[in-house]
mmCIF file of all heavy atoms in Angstrom:
data_model
loop_
_atom_site.group_PDB
_atom_site.id
_atom_site.type_symbol
_atom_site.label_atom_id
_atom_site.label_comp_id
_atom_site.label_asym_id
_atom_site.label_seq_id
_atom_site.Cartn_x
_atom_site.Cartn_y
_atom_site.Cartn_z
ATOM 1 N N TYR A 255 -83.230 -42.310 -112.624
ATOM 2 C CA TYR A 255 -82.787 -43.630 -113.095
ATOM 3 C C TYR A 255 -82.024 -43.545 -114.416
ATOM 4 O O TYR A 255 -80.956 -44.114 -114.596
ATOM 5 C CB TYR A 255 -84.015 -44.545 -113.130
ATOM 6 C CG TYR A 255 -84.060 -45.578 -114.236
ATOM 7 C CD1 TYR A 255 -83.453 -46.814 -114.073
ATOM 8 C CD2 TYR A 255 -84.745 -45.320 -115.423
ATOM 9 C CE1 TYR A 255 -83.511 -47.780 -115.068
ATOM 10 C CE2 TYR A 255 -84.817 -46.268 -116.411
ATOM 11 C CZ TYR A 255 -84.200 -47.487 -116.247
ATOM 12 O OH TYR A 255 -84.258 -48.436 -117.229
ATOM 13 N N LYS A 256 -82.540 -42.732 -115.352
ATOM 14 C CA LYS A 256 -81.876 -42.609 -116.661
ATOM 15 C C LYS A 256 -80.545 -41.875 -116.516
ATOM 16 O O LYS A 256 -79.560 -42.223 -117.137
ATOM 17 C CB LYS A 256 -82.791 -41.833 -117.626
ATOM 18 C CG LYS A 256 -83.664 -42.773 -118.440
ATOM 19 C CD LYS A 256 -82.895 -43.352 -119.629
ATOM 20 C CE LYS A 256 -83.554 -44.621 -120.082
ATOM 21 N NZ LYS A 256 -83.162 -45.167 -121.341
ATOM 22 N N ASN A 257 -80.539 -40.815 -115.664
ATOM 23 C CA ASN A 257 -79.274 -40.092 -115.437
ATOM 24 C C ASN A 257 -78.185 -41.028 -114.960
ATOM 25 O O ASN A 257 -77.045 -40.964 -115.410
ATOM 26 C CB ASN A 257 -79.460 -38.980 -114.363
ATOM 27 C CG ASN A 257 -80.089 -37.744 -114.940
ATOM 28 O OD1 ASN A 257 -80.045 -37.544 -116.155
ATOM 29 N ND2 ASN A 257 -80.680 -36.918 -114.076
ATOM 30 N N LEU A 259 -78.013 -44.313 -115.327
ATOM 31 C CA LEU A 259 -77.614 -45.244 -116.395
ATOM 32 C C LEU A 259 -76.691 -44.563 -117.393
ATOM 33 O O LEU A 259 -75.704 -45.154 -117.853
ATOM 34 C CB LEU A 259 -78.875 -45.728 -117.146
ATOM 35 C CG LEU A 259 -79.551 -46.975 -116.635
ATOM 36 C CD1 LEU A 259 -80.747 -47.306 -117.519
ATOM 37 C CD2 LEU A 259 -78.601 -48.172 -116.589
ATOM 38 N N ASP A 260 -77.008 -43.298 -117.740
ATOM 39 C CA ASP A 260 -76.247 -42.589 -118.766
ATOM 40 C C ASP A 260 -74.896 -42.074 -118.278
ATOM 41 O O ASP A 260 -74.024 -41.764 -119.090
ATOM 42 C CB ASP A 260 -77.046 -41.388 -119.299
ATOM 43 C CG ASP A 260 -78.305 -41.849 -120.048
ATOM 44 O OD1 ASP A 260 -78.386 -43.055 -120.367
ATOM 45 O OD2 ASP A 260 -79.208 -41.007 -120.283
ATOM 46 N N LEU A 374 -91.529 -46.855 -113.237
ATOM 47 C CA LEU A 374 -90.854 -46.391 -114.457
ATOM 48 C C LEU A 374 -91.842 -46.198 -115.595
ATOM 49 O O LEU A 374 -91.735 -45.256 -116.373
ATOM 50 C CB LEU A 374 -89.744 -47.375 -114.845
ATOM 51 C CG LEU A 374 -88.539 -47.410 -113.910
ATOM 52 C CD1 LEU A 374 -87.481 -48.417 -114.376
ATOM 53 C CD2 LEU A 374 -87.883 -46.012 -113.770
ATOM 54 N N HIS A 377 -93.633 -42.890 -115.009
ATOM 55 C CA HIS A 377 -92.783 -41.728 -115.333
ATOM 56 C C HIS A 377 -92.541 -41.628 -116.830
ATOM 57 O O HIS A 377 -92.408 -40.507 -117.361
ATOM 58 C CB HIS A 377 -91.467 -41.789 -114.540
ATOM 59 C CG HIS A 377 -91.660 -41.467 -113.086
ATOM 60 N ND1 HIS A 377 -92.160 -40.255 -112.658
ATOM 61 C CD2 HIS A 377 -91.469 -42.190 -111.974
ATOM 62 C CE1 HIS A 377 -92.233 -40.242 -111.337
ATOM 63 N NE2 HIS A 377 -91.846 -41.420 -110.885
ATOM 64 N N GLN A 378 -92.488 -42.760 -117.493
ATOM 65 C CA GLN A 378 -92.349 -42.718 -118.961
ATOM 66 C C GLN A 378 -93.584 -42.037 -119.565
ATOM 67 O O GLN A 378 -93.474 -41.162 -120.420
ATOM 68 C CB GLN A 378 -92.209 -44.138 -119.491
ATOM 69 C CG GLN A 378 -92.110 -44.214 -121.006
ATOM 70 C CD GLN A 378 -91.615 -45.583 -121.475
ATOM 71 O OE1 GLN A 378 -90.419 -45.843 -121.484
ATOM 72 N NE2 GLN A 378 -92.515 -46.442 -121.847
ATOM 73 N N LYS A 379 -94.736 -42.413 -119.013
ATOM 74 C CA LYS A 379 -96.004 -41.876 -119.532
ATOM 75 C C LYS A 379 -96.117 -40.364 -119.268
ATOM 76 O O LYS A 379 -96.430 -39.574 -120.132
ATOM 77 C CB LYS A 379 -97.159 -42.607 -118.841
ATOM 78 C CG LYS A 379 -98.482 -42.479 -119.525
ATOM 79 C CD LYS A 379 -99.428 -43.575 -119.010
ATOM 80 C CE LYS A 379 -100.584 -42.914 -118.297
ATOM 81 N NZ LYS A 379 -101.360 -43.880 -117.513
ATOM 82 N N SER A 381 -93.674 -38.145 -118.283
ATOM 83 C CA SER A 381 -92.565 -37.246 -118.670
ATOM 84 C C SER A 381 -92.306 -37.305 -120.164
ATOM 85 O O SER A 381 -91.636 -36.433 -120.720
ATOM 86 C CB SER A 381 -91.292 -37.649 -117.931
ATOM 87 O OG SER A 381 -90.820 -38.892 -118.421
ATOM 88 N N GLY A 382 -92.779 -38.367 -120.806
ATOM 89 C CA GLY A 382 -92.486 -38.541 -122.222
ATOM 90 C C GLY A 382 -91.075 -39.054 -122.487
ATOM 91 O O GLY A 382 -90.652 -39.189 -123.630
ATOM 92 N N ARG A 383 -90.312 -39.333 -121.417
ATOM 93 C CA ARG A 383 -88.935 -39.838 -121.584
ATOM 94 C C ARG A 383 -88.944 -41.364 -121.666
ATOM 95 O O ARG A 383 -89.728 -42.019 -120.964
ATOM 96 C CB ARG A 383 -88.051 -39.446 -120.404
ATOM 97 C CG ARG A 383 -87.883 -37.948 -120.243
ATOM 98 C CD ARG A 383 -86.963 -37.398 -121.342
ATOM 99 N NE ARG A 383 -86.829 -35.964 -121.182
ATOM 100 C CZ ARG A 383 -85.855 -35.394 -120.453
ATOM 101 N NH1 ARG A 383 -84.984 -36.129 -119.803
ATOM 102 N NH2 ARG A 383 -85.789 -34.087 -120.350
ATOM 103 N N ASP A 384 -88.035 -41.887 -122.466
ATOM 104 C CA ASP A 384 -87.924 -43.337 -122.615
ATOM 105 C C ASP A 384 -87.275 -43.929 -121.373
ATOM 106 O O ASP A 384 -86.157 -43.565 -121.015
ATOM 107 C CB ASP A 384 -87.071 -43.607 -123.854
ATOM 108 C CG ASP A 384 -86.822 -45.078 -124.060
ATOM 109 O OD1 ASP A 384 -87.588 -45.895 -123.498
ATOM 110 O OD2 ASP A 384 -85.861 -45.436 -124.784
ATOM 111 N N MET A 385 -87.949 -44.834 -120.709
ATOM 112 C CA MET A 385 -87.415 -45.446 -119.501
ATOM 113 C C MET A 385 -86.987 -46.900 -119.744
ATOM 114 O O MET A 385 -86.739 -47.641 -118.801
ATOM 115 C CB MET A 385 -88.468 -45.421 -118.380
ATOM 116 C CG MET A 385 -88.816 -44.028 -117.918
ATOM 117 S SD MET A 385 -87.471 -43.300 -116.925
ATOM 118 C CE MET A 385 -88.049 -41.619 -116.806
ATOM 119 N N THR A 386 -86.930 -47.293 -121.013
ATOM 120 C CA THR A 386 -86.531 -48.687 -121.280
ATOM 121 C C THR A 386 -85.027 -48.855 -121.082
ATOM 122 O O THR A 386 -84.253 -47.884 -121.132
ATOM 123 C CB THR A 386 -86.897 -49.118 -122.713
ATOM 124 O OG1 THR A 386 -86.282 -48.224 -123.635
ATOM 125 C CG2 THR A 386 -88.417 -49.113 -122.908
ATOM 126 N N TYR A 387 -84.643 -50.099 -120.932
ATOM 127 C CA TYR A 387 -83.232 -50.473 -120.785
ATOM 128 C C TYR A 387 -82.877 -51.410 -121.914
ATOM 129 O O TYR A 387 -83.628 -52.331 -122.245
ATOM 130 C CB TYR A 387 -83.030 -51.154 -119.424
ATOM 131 C CG TYR A 387 -81.637 -51.722 -119.248
ATOM 132 C CD1 TYR A 387 -80.578 -50.889 -118.875
ATOM 133 C CD2 TYR A 387 -81.389 -53.067 -119.449
ATOM 134 C CE1 TYR A 387 -79.315 -51.412 -118.709
ATOM 135 C CE2 TYR A 387 -80.120 -53.578 -119.290
ATOM 136 C CZ TYR A 387 -79.086 -52.755 -118.903
ATOM 137 O OH TYR A 387 -77.830 -53.251 -118.752
ATOM 138 N N PHE A 388 -81.736 -51.162 -122.559
ATOM 139 C CA PHE A 388 -81.316 -52.047 -123.626
ATOM 140 C C PHE A 388 -80.146 -52.908 -123.143
ATOM 141 O O PHE A 388 -79.125 -52.394 -122.692
ATOM 142 C CB PHE A 388 -80.885 -51.225 -124.864
ATOM 143 C CG PHE A 388 -80.509 -52.110 -126.015
ATOM 144 C CD1 PHE A 388 -81.485 -52.857 -126.695
ATOM 145 C CD2 PHE A 388 -79.165 -52.230 -126.404
ATOM 146 C CE1 PHE A 388 -81.121 -53.705 -127.741
ATOM 147 C CE2 PHE A 388 -78.810 -53.077 -127.460
ATOM 148 C CZ PHE A 388 -79.799 -53.808 -128.130
ATOM 149 N N ARG A 395 -84.779 -55.211 -125.208
ATOM 150 C CA ARG A 395 -85.157 -53.902 -124.629
ATOM 151 C C ARG A 395 -86.350 -54.116 -123.706
ATOM 152 O O ARG A 395 -87.322 -54.772 -124.092
ATOM 153 C CB ARG A 395 -85.523 -52.946 -125.749
ATOM 154 C CG ARG A 395 -85.813 -51.540 -125.281
ATOM 155 C CD ARG A 395 -85.981 -50.586 -126.429
ATOM 156 N NE ARG A 395 -84.738 -50.215 -127.079
ATOM 157 C CZ ARG A 395 -83.827 -49.364 -126.584
ATOM 158 N NH1 ARG A 395 -84.050 -48.795 -125.399
ATOM 159 N NH2 ARG A 395 -82.716 -49.096 -127.251
ATOM 160 N N PHE A 396 -86.266 -53.599 -122.469
ATOM 161 C CA PHE A 396 -87.392 -53.802 -121.522
ATOM 162 C C PHE A 396 -87.377 -52.711 -120.458
ATOM 163 O O PHE A 396 -86.367 -52.007 -120.283
ATOM 164 C CB PHE A 396 -87.297 -55.179 -120.869
ATOM 165 C CG PHE A 396 -86.009 -55.419 -120.106
ATOM 166 C CD1 PHE A 396 -85.934 -55.131 -118.755
ATOM 167 C CD2 PHE A 396 -84.878 -55.941 -120.745
ATOM 168 C CE1 PHE A 396 -84.754 -55.367 -118.045
ATOM 169 C CE2 PHE A 396 -83.699 -56.152 -120.026
ATOM 170 C CZ PHE A 396 -83.630 -55.865 -118.683
ATOM 171 N N ILE A 397 -88.524 -52.574 -119.781
ATOM 172 C CA ILE A 397 -88.549 -51.693 -118.616
ATOM 173 C C ILE A 397 -88.272 -52.579 -117.400
ATOM 174 O O ILE A 397 -88.985 -53.563 -117.179
ATOM 175 C CB ILE A 397 -89.927 -50.983 -118.478
ATOM 176 C CG1 ILE A 397 -90.105 -50.028 -119.652
ATOM 177 C CG2 ILE A 397 -90.032 -50.243 -117.145
ATOM 178 C CD1 ILE A 397 -91.285 -49.100 -119.567
#
Side-chain angles (χ1 to χ4, degrees):
Y255 145 86
K256 268 279 158 168
N257 279 341
L259 270 181
D260 294 346
L374 291 180
H377 287 300
Q378 178 165 277
K379 198 163 115 193
S381 69
R383 297 287 180 90
D384 176 20
M385 294 288 170
T386 57
Y387 173 81
F388 183 70
R395 184 172 285 285
F396 59 92
I397 294 189

